């Protein structure tokens, strides 16, 4: 992976993490850096799933890939917020 690929993964992860956090109802008491990490992981896994299914190489915007990434980020934020909230109390 090139430096440009790493930077774009961080930027996409930031956006995907923020969208995933918006999808989860209620307040999530997790730090922003953790949201970014969850977003980066969700973006990488979502891309792998979309490529494996053949949905990643389309003309235009890959909406299915983005939807998979956001759903994975929402699941990640929900799971980590539940664990992080129980640990902090």
């Amino acid at each position: 992976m090139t430096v440009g690929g790493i930077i774009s993964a961080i930027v996409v992860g930031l956006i995907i993490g923020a969208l995933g956090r918006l999808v989860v109802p209620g307040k999530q008491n997790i730090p922003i850096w953790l949201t970014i990490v969850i977003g980066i992981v969700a973006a990488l896994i979502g891309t792998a799933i979309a490529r494996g299914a053949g949905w990643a190489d389309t003309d235009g915007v890959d909406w299915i890939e983005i939807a998979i990434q956001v759903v994975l980020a929402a699941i990640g934020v929900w799971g980590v917020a539940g664990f992080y909230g129980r640990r902090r109390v």
Side-chain angles (χ1 to χ4, degrees):
M1 185 177 264
T2 64
V3 174
I6 293 170
I7 292 172
S8 65
I10 292 170
V11 171
V12 169
L14 172 70
I15 294 167
I16 295 297
L19 288 173
R21 194 168 181 161
L22 287 173
V23 170
V24 176
K27 184 173 171 31
Q28 299 85 34
N29 292 323
I30 59 173
I32 191 69
W33 66 266
L34 192 53
T35 303
I36 294 170
V37 170
I38 292 168
I40 292 170
V41 171
L44 293 173
I45 293 172
T47 299
I49 291 171
R51 285 184 191 220
W55 299 326
D57 296 323
T58 61
D59 294 334
V61 179
D62 298 326
W63 293 109
I64 296 173
E65 181 180 357
I66 293 171
I68 292 169
Q69 292 171 340
V70 171
V71 167
L72 289 173
I75 292 169
V77 166
W78 175 74
V80 170
F83 176 74
Y84 198 78
R86 274 185 283 164
R87 189 178 63 102
R88 305 263 302 164
V89 174

